[in-house]
């Protein structure tokens, strides 16, 4: 029973010295690793935002101008435009794009009677409409596009439906022309992507609502190309000749669109993870050494699928 | 009664085990960092390949109103933005995915910005992008389009062997009436 003596002082000193050295080294490594964790999280977030932006813009651009069985919307009016629906005639901005299309399976028919400016009741031609529907499949509280063969187009809101009848109201500025009988009317989506430099957000508006697609966006540019990839400048979209009428009058050059390129630049929102190198960081941050996360520049090329 | 405490040897062994475990955890962080940058390279490469595919899709390949074949064999998509003076949708040689065939290759930097074309990658090149156009039928009304984007870190960007982080897209394009 003499073996209960524990450590000698020397043993204790040696053991604690080794423990100190080892734990010091391990803690040092752990500290480095842990310091990198927020950078990893922020990097993941930045990549994720870049993917979301690409997806959101490319999906809408690919579907742009999809129309009714008579053809793509771009045969009749500008389905892709470098301005907001509320912008005036001849406005063109590199940071905005508005995309219009008829969603897959969207309701569509023609007017049975002319529709005068200010009229709120549209009489529909029921020929060819699904038999189980009373208003050709149109539903209340949706949007529709009304267009003729002269370049006139109006986005209208459907308030109520009846047998072969729609109660409509204009979404933006009023109609200034009478749509003749046989003008087409179709369920429609009108989506606008824009860049807000104040809040550094990429925004999407649809109907009356607007929401942010991504934060910490520091640049968004749309470029336009015609046949054979001839670049079309914004000036060409604002110099006329203009087609159509009222708020949706558009520059004829918009009918030449074949492809669109969007360039988006995103940054990390954490100042301390951005350095001062102007090539890597559009907005200099406050990082002093340590790891930084360079801005991401993402290009999205889309050829419009619906052109005829 | 076994209350005699640890021996020095036991303490050392315990500490060694602790160290191994801790190092494993730290290793995990390093692996995660590596994976993250690989994921970025891969998704950038996919985007670059998709961009080129979109441009090849945008070139004229149709029947005109008289039923005559119209094929763009003059637009150079290996410059940015595309300009006249290239191969367009002309059928490429079989080697245009394995090696740098002028007109069917361009080079891009780590952000995906265009750095040049031709046969020699300029300084700062991080990706090589090659594409091939192949006719399926004798009339040339159905094309197989392929785009290959490879990161060029190892310097072994040639050959048909698959490289980590590369993206290959394949599609068919049929001649349509405009």
């Amino acid at each position: 029973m003499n073996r209960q003596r524990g450590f000698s002082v020397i043993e204790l000193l040696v053991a604690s010295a080794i423990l100190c050295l080892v734990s010091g080294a391990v803690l040092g490594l752990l500290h480095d690793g842990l310091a990198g964790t927020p950078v990893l999280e922020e990097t993941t977030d930045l990549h994720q935002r870049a993917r979301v932006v690409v997806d959101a813009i490319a999906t809408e651009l690919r579907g742009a101008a999809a129309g009714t069985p008579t053809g793509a919307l771009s045969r009749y009016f500008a389905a892709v435009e470098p301005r907001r629906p509320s912008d005036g005639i001849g406005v063109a901005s590199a940071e905005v794009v508005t995309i219009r299309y008829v969603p897959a399976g969207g309701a569509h028919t023609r007017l049975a009677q002319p529709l005068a400016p200010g009229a709120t009741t549209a009489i529909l031609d029921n020929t060819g409409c699904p038999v189980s529907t009373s208003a050709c499949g149109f539903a209340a509280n949706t949007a529709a596009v009304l267009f003729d063969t002269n370049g006139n187009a109006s986005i209208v809101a459907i308030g109520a439906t009846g047998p072969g009848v729609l109660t409509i109201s204009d979404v933006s500025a009023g109609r200034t022309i009478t749509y003749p009988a046989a003008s087409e009317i179709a369920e429609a989506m009108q989506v606008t992507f824009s860049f807000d430099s104040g809040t550094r957000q990429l925004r999407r508006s649809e109907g009356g609502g607007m929401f942010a697609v991504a934060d910490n966006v520091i640049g968004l540019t749309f470029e336009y190309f015609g046949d054979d990839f001839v670049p079309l400048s914004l000036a060409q979209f604002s110099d006329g000749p203009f087609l159509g009428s009222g708020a949706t009058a558009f520059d004829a050059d918009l009918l030449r669109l074949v492809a669109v390129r969007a360039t988006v630049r995103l940054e990390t929102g954490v100042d301390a993870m951005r350095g001062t190198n102007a090539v890597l960081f559009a907005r200099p941050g406050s990082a002093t050494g340590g790891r930084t996360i360079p801005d991401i520049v993402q290009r999205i090329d889309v050829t419009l699928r619906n052109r005829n | 009664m076994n209350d005699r405490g640890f021996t020095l040897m036991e303490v050392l062994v315990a500490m060694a085990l602790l160290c191994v475990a801790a190092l494993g955890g730290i290793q995990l962080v390093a692996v995660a960092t590596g994976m993250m940058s690989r994921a970025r390279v891969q998704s950038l490469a996919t985007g670059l390949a998709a961009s080129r595919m979109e441009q090849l899709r945008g070139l004229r390949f149709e029947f005109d109103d008289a039923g005559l074949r119209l094929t763009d064999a003059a637009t150079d998509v290996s410059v940015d933005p595309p300009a006249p003076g290239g191969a367009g949708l002309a059928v490429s040689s079989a080697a245009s995915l394995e090696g740098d065939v002028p007109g069917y290759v361009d080079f891009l930097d780590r952000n995906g910005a265009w750095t040049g074309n031709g046969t020699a990658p300029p300084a700062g090149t991080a990706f090589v992008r090659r594409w091939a156009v192949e006719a399926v039928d004798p009339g040339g009304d159905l094309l197989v389009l392929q785009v290959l984007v490879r990161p060029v870190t190892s310097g072994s960007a040639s050959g048909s062997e698959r490289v980590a982080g590369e993206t290959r897209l394949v599609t068919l394009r049929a001649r349509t009436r405009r």
Side-chain angles (χ1 to χ4, degrees), chain B residues 57-91:
Chain B
R57 197 190 277 278
L59 296 174
R60 243 181 246 272
F61 187 64
E62 58 207 30
F63 294 108
D64 69 4
D65 291 338
L68 297 173
R69 293 183 170 92
L70 265 178
T71 303
D72 186 334
T75 300
D76 190 359
V77 289
S78 73
V79 294
D80 186 61
L89 284 175
V91 170

PDB file of all heavy atoms in Angstrom, chain B residues 57-91:
ATOM      1  N   ARG B  57     -26.366  30.234 -79.648  1.00  0.00           N
ATOM      2  CA  ARG B  57     -27.789  30.114 -79.910  1.00  0.00           C
ATOM      3  C   ARG B  57     -28.337  31.368 -80.596  1.00  0.00           C
ATOM      4  O   ARG B  57     -29.356  31.318 -81.286  1.00  0.00           O
ATOM      5  CB  ARG B  57     -28.489  29.926 -78.568  1.00  0.00           C
ATOM      6  CG  ARG B  57     -29.875  29.394 -78.632  1.00  0.00           C
ATOM      7  CD  ARG B  57     -30.471  29.515 -77.252  1.00  0.00           C
ATOM      8  NE  ARG B  57     -30.103  28.427 -76.366  1.00  0.00           N
ATOM      9  CZ  ARG B  57     -30.722  27.258 -76.374  1.00  0.00           C
ATOM     10  NH1 ARG B  57     -31.697  27.044 -77.197  1.00  0.00           N
ATOM     11  NH2 ARG B  57     -30.368  26.314 -75.558  1.00  0.00           N
ATOM     12  N   GLY B  58     -27.665  32.504 -80.370  1.00  0.00           N
ATOM     13  CA  GLY B  58     -28.139  33.768 -80.922  1.00  0.00           C
ATOM     14  C   GLY B  58     -27.707  34.010 -82.362  1.00  0.00           C
ATOM     15  O   GLY B  58     -28.173  34.940 -83.002  1.00  0.00           O
ATOM     16  N   LEU B  59     -26.787  33.186 -82.874  1.00  0.00           N
ATOM     17  CA  LEU B  59     -26.322  33.381 -84.254  1.00  0.00           C
ATOM     18  C   LEU B  59     -27.388  32.909 -85.229  1.00  0.00           C
ATOM     19  O   LEU B  59     -28.112  31.955 -84.968  1.00  0.00           O
ATOM     20  CB  LEU B  59     -25.018  32.604 -84.479  1.00  0.00           C
ATOM     21  CG  LEU B  59     -23.827  33.059 -83.636  1.00  0.00           C
ATOM     22  CD1 LEU B  59     -22.644  32.127 -83.845  1.00  0.00           C
ATOM     23  CD2 LEU B  59     -23.437  34.485 -83.991  1.00  0.00           C
ATOM     24  N   ARG B  60     -27.451  33.574 -86.376  1.00  0.00           N
ATOM     25  CA  ARG B  60     -28.438  33.246 -87.407  1.00  0.00           C
ATOM     26  C   ARG B  60     -28.298  31.801 -87.869  1.00  0.00           C
ATOM     27  O   ARG B  60     -27.222  31.374 -88.281  1.00  0.00           O
ATOM     28  CB  ARG B  60     -28.164  34.134 -88.608  1.00  0.00           C
ATOM     29  CG  ARG B  60     -29.248  35.070 -88.972  1.00  0.00           C
ATOM     30  CD  ARG B  60     -28.757  35.807 -90.191  1.00  0.00           C
ATOM     31  NE  ARG B  60     -28.560  37.209 -89.897  1.00  0.00           N
ATOM     32  CZ  ARG B  60     -29.521  38.102 -90.015  1.00  0.00           C
ATOM     33  NH1 ARG B  60     -30.711  37.743 -90.384  1.00  0.00           N
ATOM     34  NH2 ARG B  60     -29.282  39.365 -89.756  1.00  0.00           N
ATOM     35  N   PHE B  61     -29.383  31.047 -87.805  1.00  0.00           N
ATOM     36  CA  PHE B  61     -29.380  29.663 -88.283  1.00  0.00           C
ATOM     37  C   PHE B  61     -30.822  29.356 -88.635  1.00  0.00           C
ATOM     38  O   PHE B  61     -31.574  28.818 -87.838  1.00  0.00           O
ATOM     39  CB  PHE B  61     -28.855  28.744 -87.175  1.00  0.00           C
ATOM     40  CG  PHE B  61     -28.647  27.324 -87.609  1.00  0.00           C
ATOM     41  CD1 PHE B  61     -27.702  27.024 -88.578  1.00  0.00           C
ATOM     42  CD2 PHE B  61     -29.377  26.296 -87.048  1.00  0.00           C
ATOM     43  CE1 PHE B  61     -27.505  25.716 -88.980  1.00  0.00           C
ATOM     44  CE2 PHE B  61     -29.177  24.989 -87.443  1.00  0.00           C
ATOM     45  CZ  PHE B  61     -28.240  24.695 -88.412  1.00  0.00           C
ATOM     46  N   GLU B  62     -31.236  29.759 -89.860  1.00  0.00           N
ATOM     47  CA  GLU B  62     -32.667  29.718 -90.157  1.00  0.00           C
ATOM     48  C   GLU B  62     -32.921  29.558 -91.658  1.00  0.00           C
ATOM     49  O   GLU B  62     -32.003  29.626 -92.472  1.00  0.00           O
ATOM     50  CB  GLU B  62     -33.322  31.013 -89.663  1.00  0.00           C
ATOM     51  CG  GLU B  62     -32.704  32.249 -90.277  1.00  0.00           C
ATOM     52  CD  GLU B  62     -32.835  33.493 -89.403  1.00  0.00           C
ATOM     53  OE1 GLU B  62     -32.869  33.362 -88.174  1.00  0.00           O
ATOM     54  OE2 GLU B  62     -32.861  34.585 -89.971  1.00  0.00           O
ATOM     55  N   PHE B  63     -34.197  29.334 -91.975  1.00  0.00           N
ATOM     56  CA  PHE B  63     -34.665  29.388 -93.348  1.00  0.00           C
ATOM     57  C   PHE B  63     -35.268  30.765 -93.550  1.00  0.00           C
ATOM     58  O   PHE B  63     -36.062  31.210 -92.716  1.00  0.00           O
ATOM     59  CB  PHE B  63     -35.751  28.332 -93.593  1.00  0.00           C
ATOM     60  CG  PHE B  63     -35.266  26.921 -93.502  1.00  0.00           C
ATOM     61  CD1 PHE B  63     -35.610  26.127 -92.421  1.00  0.00           C
ATOM     62  CD2 PHE B  63     -34.464  26.383 -94.505  1.00  0.00           C
ATOM     63  CE1 PHE B  63     -35.174  24.819 -92.341  1.00  0.00           C
ATOM     64  CE2 PHE B  63     -34.025  25.073 -94.418  1.00  0.00           C
ATOM     65  CZ  PHE B  63     -34.382  24.282 -93.333  1.00  0.00           C
ATOM     66  N   ASP B  64     -34.908  31.464 -94.634  1.00  0.00           N
ATOM     67  CA  ASP B  64     -35.536  32.764 -94.866  1.00  0.00           C
ATOM     68  C   ASP B  64     -36.910  32.564 -95.495  1.00  0.00           C
ATOM     69  O   ASP B  64     -37.362  31.428 -95.668  1.00  0.00           O
ATOM     70  CB  ASP B  64     -34.625  33.677 -95.700  1.00  0.00           C
ATOM     71  CG  ASP B  64     -34.484  33.198 -97.132  1.00  0.00           C
ATOM     72  OD1 ASP B  64     -35.150  32.220 -97.497  1.00  0.00           O
ATOM     73  OD2 ASP B  64     -33.699  33.807 -97.876  1.00  0.00           O
ATOM     74  N   ASP B  65     -37.583  33.652 -95.849  1.00  0.00           N
ATOM     75  CA  ASP B  65     -38.961  33.554 -96.347  1.00  0.00           C
ATOM     76  C   ASP B  65     -39.055  32.720 -97.625  1.00  0.00           C
ATOM     77  O   ASP B  65     -40.076  32.101 -97.906  1.00  0.00           O
ATOM     78  CB  ASP B  65     -39.535  34.953 -96.596  1.00  0.00           C
ATOM     79  CG  ASP B  65     -39.737  35.680 -95.269  1.00  0.00           C
ATOM     80  OD1 ASP B  65     -39.840  34.978 -94.246  1.00  0.00           O
ATOM     81  OD2 ASP B  65     -39.775  36.921 -95.268  1.00  0.00           O
ATOM     82  N   ALA B  66     -37.970  32.687 -98.414  1.00  0.00           N
ATOM     83  CA  ALA B  66     -37.987  31.922 -99.664  1.00  0.00           C
ATOM     84  C   ALA B  66     -37.579  30.466 -99.422  1.00  0.00           C
ATOM     85  O   ALA B  66     -37.479  29.688-100.367  1.00  0.00           O
ATOM     86  CB  ALA B  66     -37.052  32.569-100.674  1.00  0.00           C
ATOM     87  N   GLY B  67     -37.311  30.109 -98.167  1.00  0.00           N
ATOM     88  CA  GLY B  67     -36.921  28.740 -97.853  1.00  0.00           C
ATOM     89  C   GLY B  67     -35.440  28.473 -98.039  1.00  0.00           C
ATOM     90  O   GLY B  67     -34.982  27.337 -97.985  1.00  0.00           O
ATOM     91  N   LEU B  68     -34.649  29.531 -98.258  1.00  0.00           N
ATOM     92  CA  LEU B  68     -33.202  29.353 -98.415  1.00  0.00           C
ATOM     93  C   LEU B  68     -32.534  29.296 -97.046  1.00  0.00           C
ATOM     94  O   LEU B  68     -33.000  29.906 -96.081  1.00  0.00           O
ATOM     95  CB  LEU B  68     -32.613  30.502 -99.242  1.00  0.00           C
ATOM     96  CG  LEU B  68     -33.129  30.595-100.677  1.00  0.00           C
ATOM     97  CD1 LEU B  68     -32.619  31.862-101.350  1.00  0.00           C
ATOM     98  CD2 LEU B  68     -32.699  29.353-101.469  1.00  0.00           C
ATOM     99  N   ARG B  69     -31.409  28.574 -96.986  1.00  0.00           N
ATOM    100  CA  ARG B  69     -30.708  28.418 -95.710  1.00  0.00           C
ATOM    101  C   ARG B  69     -29.854  29.651 -95.419  1.00  0.00           C
ATOM    102  O   ARG B  69     -29.083  30.080 -96.275  1.00  0.00           O
ATOM    103  CB  ARG B  69     -29.808  27.193 -95.742  1.00  0.00           C
ATOM    104  CG  ARG B  69     -30.572  25.894 -95.817  1.00  0.00           C
ATOM    105  CD  ARG B  69     -29.608  24.720 -95.776  1.00  0.00           C
ATOM    106  NE  ARG B  69     -30.343  23.484 -95.621  1.00  0.00           N
ATOM    107  CZ  ARG B  69     -30.754  22.744 -96.650  1.00  0.00           C
ATOM    108  NH1 ARG B  69     -30.504  23.121 -97.875  1.00  0.00           N
ATOM    109  NH2 ARG B  69     -31.421  21.630 -96.416  1.00  0.00           N
ATOM    110  N   LEU B  70     -30.008  30.175 -94.210  1.00  0.00           N
ATOM    111  CA  LEU B  70     -29.206  31.317 -93.769  1.00  0.00           C
ATOM    112  C   LEU B  70     -28.395  30.860 -92.551  1.00  0.00           C
ATOM    113  O   LEU B  70     -28.967  30.494 -91.531  1.00  0.00           O
ATOM    114  CB  LEU B  70     -30.123  32.456 -93.336  1.00  0.00           C
ATOM    115  CG  LEU B  70     -30.469  33.556 -94.324  1.00  0.00           C
ATOM    116  CD1 LEU B  70     -31.423  34.543 -93.686  1.00  0.00           C
ATOM    117  CD2 LEU B  70     -29.205  34.255 -94.783  1.00  0.00           C
ATOM    118  N   THR B  71     -27.070  30.861 -92.681  1.00  0.00           N
ATOM    119  CA  THR B  71     -26.232  30.453 -91.550  1.00  0.00           C
ATOM    120  C   THR B  71     -25.191  31.529 -91.298  1.00  0.00           C
ATOM    121  O   THR B  71     -24.529  31.979 -92.234  1.00  0.00           O
ATOM    122  CB  THR B  71     -25.520  29.123 -91.850  1.00  0.00           C
ATOM    123  OG1 THR B  71     -26.493  28.143 -92.160  1.00  0.00           O
ATOM    124  CG2 THR B  71     -24.707  28.669 -90.644  1.00  0.00           C
ATOM    125  N   ASP B  72     -25.057  31.935 -90.060  1.00  0.00           N
ATOM    126  CA  ASP B  72     -24.028  32.910 -89.708  1.00  0.00           C
ATOM    127  C   ASP B  72     -22.684  32.187 -89.598  1.00  0.00           C
ATOM    128  O   ASP B  72     -22.469  31.411 -88.670  1.00  0.00           O
ATOM    129  CB  ASP B  72     -24.381  33.577 -88.374  1.00  0.00           C
ATOM    130  CG  ASP B  72     -23.410  34.692 -88.038  1.00  0.00           C
ATOM    131  OD1 ASP B  72     -22.264  34.631 -88.506  1.00  0.00           O
ATOM    132  OD2 ASP B  72     -23.803  35.619 -87.312  1.00  0.00           O
ATOM    133  N   ALA B  73     -21.817  32.412 -90.582  1.00  0.00           N
ATOM    134  CA  ALA B  73     -20.489  31.813 -90.509  1.00  0.00           C
ATOM    135  C   ALA B  73     -19.448  32.923 -90.508  1.00  0.00           C
ATOM    136  O   ALA B  73     -18.331  32.754 -90.979  1.00  0.00           O
ATOM    137  CB  ALA B  73     -20.271  30.864 -91.679  1.00  0.00           C
ATOM    138  N   ALA B  74     -19.828  34.096 -89.989  1.00  0.00           N
ATOM    139  CA  ALA B  74     -18.932  35.252 -90.075  1.00  0.00           C
ATOM    140  C   ALA B  74     -18.773  35.991 -88.760  1.00  0.00           C
ATOM    141  O   ALA B  74     -17.862  36.799 -88.621  1.00  0.00           O
ATOM    142  CB  ALA B  74     -19.449  36.223 -91.131  1.00  0.00           C
ATOM    143  N   THR B  75     -19.634  35.719 -87.774  1.00  0.00           N
ATOM    144  CA  THR B  75     -19.518  36.439 -86.509  1.00  0.00           C
ATOM    145  C   THR B  75     -18.486  35.753 -85.621  1.00  0.00           C
ATOM    146  O   THR B  75     -18.496  34.538 -85.455  1.00  0.00           O
ATOM    147  CB  THR B  75     -20.881  36.489 -85.800  1.00  0.00           C
ATOM    148  OG1 THR B  75     -21.811  37.166 -86.639  1.00  0.00           O
ATOM    149  CG2 THR B  75     -20.771  37.241 -84.479  1.00  0.00           C
ATOM    150  N   ASP B  76     -17.578  36.561 -85.079  1.00  0.00           N
ATOM    151  CA  ASP B  76     -16.533  36.025 -84.218  1.00  0.00           C
ATOM    152  C   ASP B  76     -16.994  36.120 -82.768  1.00  0.00           C
ATOM    153  O   ASP B  76     -17.022  37.202 -82.185  1.00  0.00           O
ATOM    154  CB  ASP B  76     -15.248  36.836 -84.420  1.00  0.00           C
ATOM    155  CG  ASP B  76     -14.058  36.180 -83.733  1.00  0.00           C
ATOM    156  OD1 ASP B  76     -14.256  35.131 -83.096  1.00  0.00           O
ATOM    157  OD2 ASP B  76     -12.947  36.732 -83.845  1.00  0.00           O
ATOM    158  N   VAL B  77     -17.379  34.977 -82.178  1.00  0.00           N
ATOM    159  CA  VAL B  77     -17.809  35.022 -80.776  1.00  0.00           C
ATOM    160  C   VAL B  77     -16.625  34.853 -79.828  1.00  0.00           C
ATOM    161  O   VAL B  77     -16.787  34.905 -78.621  1.00  0.00           O
ATOM    162  CB  VAL B  77     -18.895  33.964 -80.467  1.00  0.00           C
ATOM    163  CG1 VAL B  77     -20.213  34.339 -81.110  1.00  0.00           C
ATOM    164  CG2 VAL B  77     -18.460  32.584 -80.862  1.00  0.00           C
ATOM    165  N   SER B  78     -15.412  34.694 -80.382  1.00  0.00           N
ATOM    166  CA  SER B  78     -14.255  34.541 -79.497  1.00  0.00           C
ATOM    167  C   SER B  78     -13.682  35.891 -79.079  1.00  0.00           C
ATOM    168  O   SER B  78     -12.661  35.954 -78.415  1.00  0.00           O
ATOM    169  CB  SER B  78     -13.174  33.682 -80.157  1.00  0.00           C
ATOM    170  OG  SER B  78     -12.532  34.396 -81.187  1.00  0.00           O
ATOM    171  N   VAL B  79     -14.327  36.989 -79.490  1.00  0.00           N
ATOM    172  CA  VAL B  79     -13.969  38.305 -78.957  1.00  0.00           C
ATOM    173  C   VAL B  79     -15.150  38.797 -78.138  1.00  0.00           C
ATOM    174  O   VAL B  79     -16.249  38.256 -78.233  1.00  0.00           O
ATOM    175  CB  VAL B  79     -13.618  39.326 -80.068  1.00  0.00           C
ATOM    176  CG1 VAL B  79     -12.351  38.907 -80.775  1.00  0.00           C
ATOM    177  CG2 VAL B  79     -14.749  39.472 -81.060  1.00  0.00           C
ATOM    178  N   ASP B  80     -14.930  39.796 -77.311  1.00  0.00           N
ATOM    179  CA  ASP B  80     -16.003  40.258 -76.436  1.00  0.00           C
ATOM    180  C   ASP B  80     -16.214  41.761 -76.585  1.00  0.00           C
ATOM    181  O   ASP B  80     -15.299  42.520 -76.344  1.00  0.00           O
ATOM    182  CB  ASP B  80     -15.644  39.923 -74.981  1.00  0.00           C
ATOM    183  CG  ASP B  80     -16.791  40.245 -74.052  1.00  0.00           C
ATOM    184  OD1 ASP B  80     -17.859  39.649 -74.232  1.00  0.00           O
ATOM    185  OD2 ASP B  80     -16.603  41.106 -73.164  1.00  0.00           O
ATOM    186  N   PRO B  81     -17.404  42.228 -76.990  1.00  0.00           N
ATOM    187  CA  PRO B  81     -18.546  41.430 -77.458  1.00  0.00           C
ATOM    188  C   PRO B  81     -18.291  40.885 -78.853  1.00  0.00           C
ATOM    189  O   PRO B  81     -17.365  41.341 -79.534  1.00  0.00           O
ATOM    190  CB  PRO B  81     -19.687  42.444 -77.471  1.00  0.00           C
ATOM    191  CG  PRO B  81     -19.032  43.759 -77.675  1.00  0.00           C
ATOM    192  CD  PRO B  81     -17.696  43.674 -77.021  1.00  0.00           C
ATOM    193  N   PRO B  82     -19.107  39.909 -79.302  1.00  0.00           N
ATOM    194  CA  PRO B  82     -18.902  39.310 -80.621  1.00  0.00           C
ATOM    195  C   PRO B  82     -18.850  40.367 -81.720  1.00  0.00           C
ATOM    196  O   PRO B  82     -19.536  41.383 -81.642  1.00  0.00           O
ATOM    197  CB  PRO B  82     -20.132  38.412 -80.792  1.00  0.00           C
ATOM    198  CG  PRO B  82     -20.543  38.080 -79.410  1.00  0.00           C
ATOM    199  CD  PRO B  82     -20.256  39.310 -78.596  1.00  0.00           C
ATOM    200  N   ALA B  83     -18.020  40.133 -82.733  1.00  0.00           N
ATOM    201  CA  ALA B  83     -17.833  41.095 -83.819  1.00  0.00           C
ATOM    202  C   ALA B  83     -17.687  40.339 -85.126  1.00  0.00           C
ATOM    203  O   ALA B  83     -17.442  39.136 -85.120  1.00  0.00           O
ATOM    204  CB  ALA B  83     -16.588  41.938 -83.535  1.00  0.00           C
ATOM    205  N   PRO B  84     -17.820  41.024 -86.261  1.00  0.00           N
ATOM    206  CA  PRO B  84     -17.633  40.340 -87.548  1.00  0.00           C
ATOM    207  C   PRO B  84     -16.200  39.842 -87.692  1.00  0.00           C
ATOM    208  O   PRO B  84     -15.287  40.371 -87.049  1.00  0.00           O
ATOM    209  CB  PRO B  84     -17.934  41.438 -88.573  1.00  0.00           C
ATOM    210  CG  PRO B  84     -18.683  42.491 -87.841  1.00  0.00           C
ATOM    211  CD  PRO B  84     -18.218  42.432 -86.425  1.00  0.00           C
ATOM    212  N   GLY B  85     -15.979  38.846 -88.560  1.00  0.00           N
ATOM    213  CA  GLY B  85     -14.628  38.383 -88.840  1.00  0.00           C
ATOM    214  C   GLY B  85     -14.259  37.088 -88.160  1.00  0.00           C
ATOM    215  O   GLY B  85     -13.103  36.873 -87.793  1.00  0.00           O
ATOM    216  N   GLY B  86     -15.223  36.178 -87.956  1.00  0.00           N
ATOM    217  CA  GLY B  86     -14.911  34.912 -87.299  1.00  0.00           C
ATOM    218  C   GLY B  86     -15.578  33.740 -87.964  1.00  0.00           C
ATOM    219  O   GLY B  86     -15.963  33.805 -89.129  1.00  0.00           O
ATOM    220  N   ALA B  87     -15.746  32.672 -87.201  1.00  0.00           N
ATOM    221  CA  ALA B  87     -16.240  31.423 -87.780  1.00  0.00           C
ATOM    222  C   ALA B  87     -17.741  31.237 -87.599  1.00  0.00           C
ATOM    223  O   ALA B  87     -18.344  30.418 -88.274  1.00  0.00           O
ATOM    224  CB  ALA B  87     -15.499  30.250 -87.157  1.00  0.00           C
ATOM    225  N   GLY B  88     -18.357  31.971 -86.680  1.00  0.00           N
ATOM    226  CA  GLY B  88     -19.791  31.813 -86.447  1.00  0.00           C
ATOM    227  C   GLY B  88     -20.156  30.381 -86.152  1.00  0.00           C
ATOM    228  O   GLY B  88     -19.526  29.730 -85.323  1.00  0.00           O
ATOM    229  N   LEU B  89     -21.148  29.873 -86.888  1.00  0.00           N
ATOM    230  CA  LEU B  89     -21.605  28.496 -86.686  1.00  0.00           C
ATOM    231  C   LEU B  89     -21.020  27.550 -87.735  1.00  0.00           C
ATOM    232  O   LEU B  89     -21.556  26.470 -87.963  1.00  0.00           O
ATOM    233  CB  LEU B  89     -23.131  28.434 -86.714  1.00  0.00           C
ATOM    234  CG  LEU B  89     -23.861  28.931 -85.455  1.00  0.00           C
ATOM    235  CD1 LEU B  89     -25.360  28.918 -85.668  1.00  0.00           C
ATOM    236  CD2 LEU B  89     -23.497  28.088 -84.243  1.00  0.00           C
ATOM    237  N   ALA B  90     -19.909  27.964 -88.381  1.00  0.00           N
ATOM    238  CA  ALA B  90     -19.263  27.059 -89.331  1.00  0.00           C
ATOM    239  C   ALA B  90     -18.793  25.818 -88.577  1.00  0.00           C
ATOM    240  O   ALA B  90     -18.327  25.922 -87.446  1.00  0.00           O
ATOM    241  CB  ALA B  90     -18.083  27.762 -89.994  1.00  0.00           C
ATOM    242  N   VAL B  91     -18.923  24.653 -89.217  1.00  0.00           N
ATOM    243  CA  VAL B  91     -18.544  23.395 -88.559  1.00  0.00           C
ATOM    244  C   VAL B  91     -17.061  23.435 -88.200  1.00  0.00           C
ATOM    245  O   VAL B  91     -16.217  23.830 -89.005  1.00  0.00           O
ATOM    246  CB  VAL B  91     -18.872  22.207 -89.492  1.00  0.00           C
ATOM    247  CG1 VAL B  91     -18.280  20.922 -88.950  1.00  0.00           C
ATOM    248  CG2 VAL B  91     -20.379  22.082 -89.662  1.00  0.00           C
TER     249      VAL B  91
END
